[in-house]
Structures are given as structure tokens and as C-alpha cells.
Amino acid sequence: IKETGDALAVSVREVFSRFDSDGGGQLDKNELSRVFKTLDGKLKMKDVDRLCKDLDQGGDGKVSVKEFLAWLKSGTEWAKQICRAIVAETGMKREERIRRAFSKYDATGDGDLDIDELSKTLKVLGSFSNDEVRKVCADLDKSGDGSVSYQEFLTWMKTGRCAKEVAKAKAILAPSDSDGLEAVFYNFCGPGKAEMDGKSFKKLCQDCELIDKKFDATAVDLIFSDRRVKDKSERVVDFFQFENALELIADKKKVEVHEVRTPVLLQGSPKIVGTKAGQGNDFGKGCGSAPHPAVPRKPKKTESQKRIE
């Protein structure tokens, strides 16, 4: 299969760059599963497993760009569905979403983000510790000049391999999912954390009122420990594993997955201890993620100031 000049191949390489965590040029089953869930959040675990098996024709547990392209061009219904999703999630489509996110934080509209003001915004969002904010800002403003252009922001967003706190910031500042579930996940992880432990998972189930006669506190613990969610040796789950847990909750309650996701999205973030029943933290309430606070406007530079610089 000829890749050079092939628009589809360019899109596939963009996907690989985003999810190839070790930079080896191939996706293992874990990485490939994340690709499919990101491209189509409605896919269930059994669908993802089937797709991974279909792609791994070599049987080595890894898929190359060439193998991925060959499968996409096979013409099967699954291949067509994923191909459409790739087109919608890459190239100009994705850049448009990143551009809209950048504009939210470009207070003056001059095409640059003030890193100090962005730092304050991250702190106000409530899901970041001071150390996380420092690391995120340092990673974004690599030149250290205190200002980030759109091109710098775009490059930063499209870089796949990054630290956990940076991935967390990208998910909240410019969500890749359409409903904002990933931002809610990080809200419940809490400041300084990019993964969810069992205690936070139980609080999410309680705050979002998922617990009932069909799904009690014991069932919460069992699902968090389920091998389909994570290995027994693991103590925390990432966002992908969290989505699998929500699917198992839906199965347990005998409802559709969206009936579990919706109350999580509506809650938005943990209830503050001491609030009245039914009153959660208004941060992100009903919007699926923490709101984007207005970044204080920095004064426009005069023409004389620009000439001096």
C-alpha cells in the first residue's frame, strides 16, 4: 500500500503519533483499544476486542501503520465506520476544535496566550495541584518567553507522548471527546492525580446517584476490581479503564450505557462535603466538565510598543 501522498495514510499516522506511547511505530492491543474508544465512544468492550483481533493479522499483538491501512481499505462495515471516525477526528476537523479551544483562552484576541494567566485559569478549574500547573505550563511554554502562539498550542496538543499531568491538561483545555466525560473523570481524580483510585470511584458512584438496589456498594468494589477493567495488581484506573467500568455498571443495572454516563456528566464534579442533599459542587454542574473561567484581559500593545520590540 502506497502511503506517501495518501490523505488517509496521513490521518492514520496522526492517530499513531497520538496513541503510540512508546514511540515504537506500532500500537499494541492496549493502545489500539484506546484508539477505537476515542474514535467511537459507543463501542463496547466486546466490539473493541473483535476489532483488535481483526487488525492483528500477524498475531504478534501489535499493529503497524501498514496493517491499519490495509484493514481500513478492506471495505468491511467496521472498517468503513472507523474510517469515517478517523476523518472526523483528524486533520482539519481536529485543528478546528483546537482553534476554538485556543480562542477561549486568548483573552485579547491577539493570537497569543499569556502563560501566567493560563496558569491562573488551570488553578481556578480546580483539578490541578500547584505542581501540576507548573509542569503543564513549562511543557506548553517551552521557549520560556511567557507567551504561547496558536502554532505552539497546536503542536503541543497534537503531540502524543507526554506526562500524565500534561495529558490531563490537554483533555480539560481542549477535550477530544464530544461530551466532556474525560474532564469529569479528572475532576473526580482530584488535584495532583491523573488516575482514579477505588475511593474516588466509589464517591463518583455515590455523588452521581448510581448506587441502588441493583448496584450496591459491594458491587462498586467488585467492578473496580474486575479484570475487564484492570489487572488485579493495579490500584488505579485511567480514563479508558474508567469507561469500561461504566459499561459494566450499565450491564449490572441492566440499562444502556448512556443512562450511566448522563448522571455522571450532569454531576460534573464531586459534591462538596457539607452541602445539602442534591447540591453538588457547582463547578461543572450540568455541563460535563468544569467551566472555562474568563481569562483576565491583558492590555493590548500599542503600535509604538510593537515597534520597540
Side-chain angles (χ1 to χ4, degrees), residues 115-116 118-124 127-139 165:
I115 202 68
D116 289 335
L118 188 60
S119 172
K120 293 175 185 177
T121 299
L122 290 173
K123 291 177 182 178
V124 171
S127 297
F128 298 91
S129 66
N130 289 335
D131 186 54
E132 283 182 311
V133 170
R134 181 183 59 77
K135 290 179 179 178
V136 169
C137 289
D139 191 72
E165 62 270 7

